[in-house]
Amino acid sequence: MSNSEGKIGIKSGKIIYVDGENPPKIIVGEGVEVYINEKKIDGECHVKKEDIVKVVPKIIEGKRNLNIYVTEDAMEVYIDISYEPYIEYEIEDMEPQHELFITGKIKHKSIKKFTREEIEKSLREKNIIYGIKKEEIERAIDGGRFLVAEGKKIKEPEDDRIVYYFGNKNEEDVENAIKVDYFNRITYEYVEKGDVLAEKFDGRDGSIGFDVYGRPVKPRKRVVKRLLSGPGCVVNENKAYAEISGMPEVKSGKVCVFEVLRINGDVDIKTGNIKFDGNVEVVGTVKEGFKIRAGNNVIIHGDVLEAEIATNGNIVVKKNVISSNLIAGCNQINNEKALKLIKDVYDILKTSLIALTELIKLGKIKIDKNIGRVLMLIIESKFPNKMQEIIKNDEFISSGFHNDIYVNWKKLFNYILMIKNNDLLDYDGLTNMLKEVGNFIDTFQLLNTPADVYVSYCQNSKIFASNDVEITGQGCYNTNIVAKNQIRFISDKAIFRGGQMVAEKAIKASEVGSSAGVVTILKTSKHGIIEARVAFQNTLIQFDDITYKIEYPVKNLKAYIEKGELIVEKLKL
């Protein structure tokens, strides 16, 4: 049987063929290429006597791989080096066999490694010039991943700090540290004259760094803080001291101390109306018909019954508000009102002066003693009944302001009187005055003094806050609430039934309206959001001029404007 098998072998690089009944087989291994009749074969193939077989030793060219990785911030450079060796094979003699497994023998094998100079050149070609680590490059030559360049990191600045020695002293967040929980506190913090209220600690600027490209990297700017003093406080050598005894507070970024008027009973016929420049704390109730005017916060531990409270600061009522008016943030409200009045009168005079100037250009009138009368006719024609309104509003500004608002109002009002009395002779004077007031309007910045109202329960009342209104208890009936920022109901069981809520940014309510369908209005701006856990039919939600009516009881109400379209998310109750 074996004599009938053909065989094939190799001698001195030549093929030896031994004929047989069964043709021999070649199996191609590593390091060689085999051609039969000039056709390259892979794997295995039978060979006939007449076939021309050629075995060629392989030469595998070596490879050098160098990859450079730069981190996103350009502060670190890594290289990854790997090699594939150069291999040269030769063919060994092989005795004839029926199945010849041909492999090459390694004649020569070598690796050509990178030099340090070649690696550094590759880095330079990528403009990597800073922080080169020569020792790491030497280590990388043998292969692997190495950090070969590193920038100089910036030194971050240390921001200025202000430490407050009142409020929640364990609170790291400055805003929370100085925020007073007016509603839940039973007693309030007081300081004595001379107490240190706050201290500023200066930070330091950061230092510049460089990335691996040699580019400078600048640190962020250090936050520089100013320790500012308000009423009842003085700052000396980075420390804020109480100038008076009273209640400390940070208001509009300033450390303040407000005197406290404490009423140990009710506000009634015994006390009369209260008017005080600082904080007012009433242990009892504000009775029917009485008023409180305060320069800062008002805290009522009892009820407010058919009364009125107006303050520049916050209002806190621990119990009930019945048929009363609460106004928090009077200063801001009055400033906004006064500035609007100035703008209105300015626009009236400017519009009327433009109309007068046109008449003069057309030659219909001359600049003489009649210009006051002509302006009066223009104002009465274009702005009927405005003259009487302006004269009424003079008392509001004249009695309540002693600053630039007062000065610029009086400039306008004096010319209004001259026009009304036909005493205006100075056309140029009116023109120059309007330029001055126009410049004041363009440059005047209203001081933002946000004030909040905290109420547990209210009925048949009106509430206004220059910031937030927070309902902490059962809710409200037939009450109108206006907040410059947002209105929040804390309890899931709180209700708002009848009346209207208006907030510029957000209304977050629990239950609004009633199963009987009493009309209840929730209004915000087009940038605001309205949310309610439950909303009954006849609840109206408004976004400026866009109104949506709830037709049936719903839950998980969320409404807002997106890309000009009203979105109302809700589930049927």
Side-chain angles (χ1 to χ4, degrees):
M1 184 77 178
S2 59
N3 292 334
S4 65
E5 290 184 340
K7 296 181 180 180
I8 191 167
I10 300 174
K11 181 70 173 179
S12 301
K14 295 182 178 180
I15 298 296
I16 300 172
Y17 190 90
V18 178
D19 199 7
E21 211 173 289
N22 295 322
K25 182 192 295 185
I26 288 179
I27 301 171
V28 181
E30 187 178 358
V32 295
E33 291 180 351
V34 176
Y35 297 85
I36 297 179
N37 300 322
E38 298 184 352
K39 181 180 179 182
K40 183 180 177 182
I41 64 169
D42 294 306
E44 57 185 49
C45 184
H46 286 94
V47 181
K48 300 175 183 177
K49 184 176 182 179
E50 63 269 20
D51 289 336
I52 301 173
V53 179
K54 184 179 181 182
V55 179
V56 179
K58 280 186 179 180
I59 295 177
I60 298 175
E61 297 294 337
K63 289 184 180 179
R64 303 188 304 170
N65 303 305
L66 170 60
N67 294 308
I68 298 174
Y69 303 96
V70 182
T71 56
E72 190 174 348
D73 60 2
M75 295 301 291
E76 293 179 339
V77 178
Y78 292 86
I79 61 170
D80 198 339
I81 291 179
S82 62
Y83 299 102
E84 296 177 28
Y86 168 86
I87 303 176
E88 184 178 339
Y89 291 90
E90 63 180 356
I91 307 299
E92 289 187 300
D93 290 349
M94 303 182 73
E95 292 295 325
Q97 304 171 42
H98 181 65
E99 291 186 355
L100 183 65
F101 183 67
I102 305 176
T103 59
K105 178 184 177 183
I106 295 177
K107 179 181 179 182
H108 177 74
K109 181 178 181 181
S110 63
I111 295 174
K112 185 180 180 182
K113 294 183 179 181
F114 288 101
T115 65
R116 180 168 59 82
E117 290 76 13
E118 287 176 318
I119 296 172
E120 289 178 350
K121 181 182 178 183
S122 296
L123 293 175
R124 286 195 301 272
E125 287 173 351
K126 290 187 175 291
N127 297 317
I128 298 167
I129 58 173
Y130 188 91
I132 304 297
K133 296 176 176 287
K134 292 184 181 295
E135 290 183 1
E136 293 301 299
I137 291 176
E138 289 287 355
R139 291 178 60 201
I141 287 174
D142 292 330
R145 184 179 177 90
F146 293 85
L147 174 66
V148 295
E150 188 172 16
K152 179 184 177 183
K153 293 183 179 179
I154 60 173
K155 191 172 184 179
E156 292 290 352
E158 291 180 7
D159 297 334
D160 292 358
R161 293 185 302 120
I162 295 178
V163 177
Y164 297 90
Y165 299 124
F166 61 92
N168 185 354
K169 299 177 181 63
N170 295 321
E171 177 60 63
E172 293 182 3
D173 184 349
V174 172
E175 288 188 6
N176 289 332
I178 61 178
K179 184 176 180 180
V180 180
D181 185 357
Y182 290 102
F183 195 85
N184 292 315
R185 293 183 69 170
I186 299 174
T187 60
Y188 297 87
E189 189 168 7
Y190 294 89
V191 295
E192 298 296 331
K193 180 178 179 180
D195 285 352
V196 178
L197 305 177
E199 186 173 2
K200 177 193 168 187
F201 295 90
D202 292 330
R204 60 162 180 78
D205 293 328
S207 59
I208 199 168
F210 293 91
D211 67 16
V212 295
Y213 302 113
R215 301 176 303 195
V217 181
K218 294 181 179 180
R220 67 172 176 82
K221 289 186 177 181
R222 158 188 156 209
V223 176
V224 178
K225 295 183 178 180
R226 294 179 63 198
L227 183 57
L228 303 175
S229 61
C233 178
V234 63
V235 173
N236 184 23
E237 294 183 351
N238 281 350
K239 289 184 179 180
Y241 298 89
E243 283 193 309
I244 60 172
S245 298
M247 186 181 291
E249 185 178 347
V250 175
K251 203 171 185 70
S252 298
K254 298 178 180 180
V255 183
C256 310
V257 179
F258 293 98
E259 292 183 304
V260 180
L261 175 62
R262 184 180 174 91
I263 309 296
N264 287 317
D266 297 333
V267 174
D268 54 16
I269 196 168
K270 292 180 182 178
T271 62
N273 293 326
I274 304 296
K275 187 175 183 181
F276 188 68
D277 284 339
N279 292 342
V280 175
E281 185 177 1
V282 179
V283 175
T285 291
V286 183
K287 293 297 185 67
E288 293 86 346
F290 287 91
K291 299 178 181 179
I292 296 178
R293 299 284 186 273
N296 199 44
N297 301 324
V298 172
I299 301 163
I300 311 296
H301 291 269
D303 300 317
V304 178
L305 307 175
E306 298 181 27
E308 184 177 304
I309 299 174
T311 174
N312 294 331
N314 303 319
I315 297 174
V316 180
V317 181
K318 298 292 188 72
K319 293 186 178 178
N320 304 314
V321 177
I322 308 297
S323 301
S324 299
N325 293 335
L326 308 182
I327 304 173
C330 290
N331 268 354
Q332 185 163 337
I333 297 165
N334 290 339
N335 283 337
E336 290 175 357
K337 179 180 176 181
L339 188 62
K340 185 179 184 304
L341 292 174
I342 288 174
K343 288 179 179 178
D344 288 345
V345 177
Y346 171 82
D347 288 340
I348 288 170
L349 287 176
K350 187 175 181 180
T351 302
S352 301
L353 184 61
I354 291 171
L356 175 66
T357 303
E358 288 298 316
L359 292 173
I360 293 171
K361 286 181 180 178
L362 294 171
K364 294 186 177 181
I365 63 169
K366 296 180 179 180
I367 302 177
D368 57 18
K369 63 182 180 181
N370 291 321
I371 64 171
R373 183 183 173 192
V374 175
L375 278 171
M376 184 67 184
L377 292 172
I378 293 172
I379 291 172
E380 288 179 339
S381 172
K382 290 182 174 291
F383 309 98
N385 303 319
K386 278 293 183 180
M387 199 57 95
Q388 293 84 347
E389 287 184 25
I390 293 169
I391 292 170
K392 286 180 182 178
N393 288 325
D394 179 61
E395 173 62 23
F396 166 70
I397 295 183
S398 296
S399 62
F401 295 86
H402 304 284
N403 52 14
D404 288 343
I405 288 178
Y406 172 83
V407 171
N408 283 275
W409 169 262
K410 281 301 181 182
K411 288 178 182 178
L412 294 167
F413 187 70
N414 288 338
Y415 272 92
I416 287 290
L417 289 181
M418 284 189 280
I419 292 170
K420 181 176 181 295
N421 298 327
N422 197 23
D423 292 333
L424 178 63
L425 300 175
D426 189 359
Y427 175 88
D428 291 334
L430 174 59
T431 303
N432 293 332
M433 182 276 296
L434 287 175
K435 287 181 181 178
E436 292 174 4
V437 175
N439 184 61
F440 163 76
I441 291 171
D442 291 338
T443 58
F444 181 75
Q445 291 185 339
L446 278 170
L447 181 63
N448 183 27
T449 54
D452 304 323
V453 174
Y454 302 87
V455 171
S456 177
Y457 172 83
C458 57
Q459 180 177 318
N460 299 325
S461 297
K462 294 180 180 179
I463 298 174
F464 182 94
S466 62
N467 193 44
D468 295 344
V469 173
E470 192 170 284
I471 309 301
T472 61
Q474 298 175 7
C476 307
Y477 284 85
N478 298 319
T479 293
N480 292 334
I481 302 175
V482 177
K484 284 286 187 178
N485 190 40
Q486 63 177 329
I487 300 170
R488 298 189 302 270
F489 287 72
I490 303 304
S491 171
D492 285 343
K493 297 180 180 179
I495 61 172
F496 185 81
R497 192 159 292 164
Q500 175 175 269
M501 285 191 282
V502 181
E504 289 191 10
K505 292 186 178 179
I507 296 173
K508 297 183 180 181
S510 296
E511 181 179 308
V512 294
S514 72
S515 57
V518 62
V519 176
T520 304
I521 301 172
L522 285 63
K523 185 174 182 179
T524 186
S525 68
K526 288 183 179 179
H527 303 291
I529 185 170
I530 294 174
E531 295 179 275
R533 186 178 60 83
V534 174
F536 287 98
Q537 65 273 20
N538 278 347
T539 296
L540 301 178
I541 55 177
Q542 298 179 344
F543 294 82
D544 291 335
D545 56 345
I546 299 174
T547 299
Y548 180 90
K549 183 178 180 181
I550 303 295
E551 300 288 354
Y552 52 86
V554 299
K555 63 181 179 179
N556 300 335
L557 171 68
K558 183 177 181 181
Y560 51 93
I561 300 291
E562 187 176 87
K563 296 179 180 179
E565 181 182 354
L566 174 61
I567 308 296
V568 180
E569 300 174 7
K570 62 186 186 300
L571 298 172
K572 193 170 183 179
L573 189 62

